[in-house]
Amino acid sequence: MPLPSTDGWLNIEKEFDKFWNFPNCVGAIDGKHIAIQCPPNSGSSYYNYKGHHSIILQAVVDANAKFIFIDVGDFGRNSDGGILKESNFGKLLDNNKLLLPPPRKIHEEVEDEFPFVFVADEAYPLKKNLMKPFARKQLTNPKRIYNYRQSRARRIVECAFGILTKRFNVFENKMLVNPEKATIITQAACVLHNLIMEKEHNLTDIHNEMETTSSRVNQQDIINKPTNRRPPRDAIDIREKFMKYFNSEKGSAPWQNVYTV
């Protein structure tokens, strides 16, 4: 999974805007618990909030449910935000080494420039290139619309996890191997997933999985505790700009109010 070039990020962005109506989005990020047997002498390191032992697959996914980045093998007890901070992807993001394009206008009649961003759930920190939803408490309608628009784009990573699990049934039950072997199996499955998605170009799997994820409440969003660290001012301002754009005549979608009533 080579690092996309600047042009590669632009191609990813075009598809996020086309399919999921989130301009300047270049990836959706989330974590998935890979169930494993209890490793000997591991204490509670691999024991997660779901009540079983696991390693974590943290993934960044494009608009077609293909993996752009994966970090595999972290302890199941660790939080998504903590894993991001220590991951290769997180370090590249924080050090501005992802080769992202510079900020740009997202509409010819809107003067503001917007950075290219990734989308994540409440468990991740808000950064200038990483958007998360507004807190669920005291949501205004504009914030609710923003959350829906972001959730619609972010669900593609859940879709990728769902397709991966159905395609390789080793993920349906806990792996009876040590964490190192489980890490290798997961990495190999993600590479094979990308190859199959590239070869088949099967949008039916994506749409079917999207229907599944959109028809149920996202329990992980509810269970995951939001990060309490105060975000930087520039990150807050960027999310506000996206919110205003999505609620404007130029940036709104005809269906967004139907789903946020």
Side-chain angles (χ1 to χ4, degrees), residues 129-173:
N129 295 112
L130 181 62
M131 296 290 99
K132 62 183 284 185
F134 287 98
R136 296 172 186 271
K137 294 181 179 179
Q138 298 179 330
L139 278 179
T140 61
N141 197 57
K143 289 180 178 180
R144 192 174 291 110
I145 287 173
Y146 170 85
N147 282 3
Y148 174 66
R149 293 285 292 269
Q150 175 174 318
S151 173
R152 191 170 184 273
R154 191 195 64 80
R155 281 206 313 267
I156 192 64
V157 66
E158 294 181 0
C159 174
F161 290 152
I163 294 172
L164 180 76
T165 299
K166 291 175 181 176
R167 180 168 283 151
F168 303 102
N169 60 14
V170 67
F171 298 113
E172 294 280 4
N173 301 293

Side-chain angles (χ1 to χ4, degrees), residues 225-237:
K225 294 182 179 179
T227 55
N228 293 320
R229 186 176 63 184
R230 183 168 180 79
R233 183 70 248 179
D234 59 350
I236 295 174
D237 291 342

Side-chain angles (χ1 to χ4, degrees), residues 1-13 16 26-27 60-63 66-70 89 92 96-101 118 194:
M1 299 177 190
L3 177 69
S5 64
T6 301
D7 286 342
W9 289 121
L10 289 171
N11 290 332
I12 293 170
E13 185 277 338
F16 264 104
V26 288
V60 183
V61 170
D62 71 11
K66 289 172 57 181
F67 297 110
I68 307 171
F69 284 92
I70 58 170
F89 171 78
L92 290 171
N96 299 314
K97 291 185 177 180
L98 285 173
L99 306 179
L100 294 177
F118 299 89
N194 278 4

Side-chain angles (χ1 to χ4, degrees), residues 9 17 42 50 67-69 71 79 82 86 89 127 152 163 165 183 197 210 221 235 238 243 247 260:
W9 289 121
D17 193 14
S42 63
K50 296 184 176 184
F67 297 110
I68 307 171
F69 284 92
D71 284 281
S79 68
E86 298 301 323
F89 171 78
K127 299 172 180 282
R152 191 170 184 273
I163 294 172
T165 299
T183 296
M197 296 297 285
M210 273 294 184
D221 279 0
I238 290 165
M243 179 193 71
N247 283 275
T260 57

Side-chain angles (χ1 to χ4, degrees), residues 8-24:
W9 289 121
L10 289 171
N11 290 332
I12 293 170
E13 185 277 338
K14 287 178 183 176
E15 295 189 325
F16 264 104
D17 193 14
K18 176 181 177 181
F19 296 131
W20 312 120
N21 304 101
F22 200 114
N24 271 34

Side-chain angles (χ1 to χ4, degrees), residues 32-197:
K32 174 179 173 58
H33 287 272
I34 307 298
I36 60 172
Q37 65 183 352
C38 179
N41 305 314
S42 63
S44 61
S45 296
Y46 292 94
Y47 195 75
N48 62 44
Y49 69 88
K50 296 184 176 184
H52 61 79
H53 295 84
S54 65
I55 59 171
I56 296 177
L57 161 62
Q58 180 185 261
V60 183
V61 170
D62 71 11
N64 294 297
K66 289 172 57 181
F67 297 110
I68 307 171
F69 284 92
I70 58 170
D71 284 281
V72 191
D74 216 312
F75 295 135
R77 72 175 183 182
N78 290 346
S79 68
D80 287 343
I83 292 169
L84 174 69
K85 182 178 179 180
E86 298 301 323
S87 69
N88 293 329
F89 171 78
K91 292 174 182 176
L92 290 171
L93 179 67
D94 286 343
N95 292 310
N96 299 314
K97 291 185 177 180
L98 285 173
L99 306 179
L100 294 177
R104 68 175 186 181
K105 294 171 62 174
I106 58 177
H107 190 283
E108 59 184 9
E109 297 182 26
V110 176
E111 289 303 317
D112 288 336
E113 291 189 335
F114 290 71
F116 287 79
V117 299
F118 299 89
V119 290
D121 65 20
E122 292 101 324
Y124 287 86
L126 181 68
K127 299 172 180 282
K128 65 179 181 179
N129 295 112
L130 181 62
M131 296 290 99
K132 62 183 284 185
F134 287 98
R136 296 172 186 271
K137 294 181 179 179
Q138 298 179 330
L139 278 179
T140 61
N141 197 57
K143 289 180 178 180
R144 192 174 291 110
I145 287 173
Y146 170 85
N147 282 3
Y148 174 66
R149 293 285 292 269
Q150 175 174 318
S151 173
R152 191 170 184 273
R154 191 195 64 80
R155 281 206 313 267
I156 192 64
V157 66
E158 294 181 0
C159 174
F161 290 152
I163 294 172
L164 180 76
T165 299
K166 291 175 181 176
R167 180 168 283 151
F168 303 102
N169 60 14
V170 67
F171 298 113
E172 294 280 4
N173 301 293
K174 68 180 178 182
M175 295 188 193
L176 303 180
V177 295
N178 60 43
E180 292 77 17
K181 182 65 69 68
T183 296
I184 294 171
I185 293 170
T186 302
Q187 290 170 333
C190 289
V191 173
L192 290 171
H193 166 90
N194 278 4
L195 292 172
I196 295 169
M197 296 297 285

